[in-house]
Amino acid sequence: MSTGAAHILKGVNSGQVRSGLIIVDKPQGWTSHDVVGRLRRLAGTRKVGHAGTLDPMATGVLVVGINKATRLLTYIVGTSKTYEATIRLGQSTITDDAEGEITAETIAAAVTDEEIRDAVAALTGDILQVPSSVSAIKVAGERSYARVRAGGEVNLPARPVTVSRFEIHGIRREHGGKLRDVDVTVQCSSGTYIRALARDLGAALGVGGHLTALRRTSVGPYSEDQASTLEQLAEDLRLLDLNDAARALFPVRELSEEEAADLSHGRRIAASGMPPQDGEPVPVAAFAPDGELIGLLADKADTAKALLVFAPGNERS
């Protein structure tokens, strides 16, 4: 092990491995799996996972969990996301982004700014979206993208998604005016494909479209302001402590000593009183009087049951 690597791991693997989130600024060309592999080496633990895949072409916020914090990733995956993107009108590709070969070209010179804005407005709000065929969705046990790249056909069903913000920042003419590039910000629910928005915008305007640039700027409460590049993390493995990560993600309940003891042993405690959301109980982060995260709770009638309990002491649990 090099001197630099020893410095990186010092304090992380000395006796106990810390738990928490790392907010990574993913570089272009890396898969999310590549990033997880790098962080496993930097943190010196196999217990590393990410919350929500970013395509290799995309950059920006990738939330990575270390040790105990991997148990929070399921909840982070379901949060809303924000993206900065550029959509090119006048060209369609097999992947709905710039990584795929062009399948159709149409001169988009006649498309007006007003028409673009109207089409964007129609794709805002609660919509039904057909995911990009080159996606990780499984079809008969096979990834959709694998089937498409092998020459097969995929017909994915539309699914409900919410695009709460679809804002245009600029519209430019490219390639002698034949193409139009649209710079946008998109805030959306989990499961929304920005590539599919680009495809559908082009289809609505009759000229085809695809994504040429994509950057994720936030995942739930975690933003690019908190993110570090892989180069920065190699020098300083900045970890968002498990307690701080949970406080940012969930409503908080401060427990008494008795409640903390009961919860730690799997016993139910009094309900938190958190109103349900969309008919489902809302997870609440429960903290002991000393500020340590005990677990996640959800109300059921007049009691709160544990969804997760974090075992004290052993950081690898």
Side-chain angles (χ1 to χ4, degrees), residues 253-255 259 267-275 281-282 284 297-306:
R253 177 172 174 177
E254 305 291 351
L255 303 177
E259 288 173 330
R267 293 189 288 268
R268 294 195 177 197
I269 60 177
S272 301
M274 182 61 59
V282 175
V284 173
L297 303 175
D299 284 354
K300 186 173 183 179
D302 58 350
T303 63
K305 66 174 182 177

Side-chain angles (χ1 to χ4, degrees), residues 35 54 125 132 156 182 240 291:
V35 173
L54 270 180
S132 175
L156 298 173
V182 186
L240 182 61

Side-chain angles (χ1 to χ4, degrees), residues 42 48 69 73 95 111 122 125 166 168 185 201 212 236 242 251 253-254 257 260 280 304 308:
L42 291 179
V48 179
L73 296 179
T95 57
V111 177
F166 196 170
I168 296 174
T185 295
L201 180 64
T212 62
D236 177 13
L242 179 63
R253 177 172 174 177
E254 305 291 351
E257 291 283 3
E280 296 294 327
L308 286 177

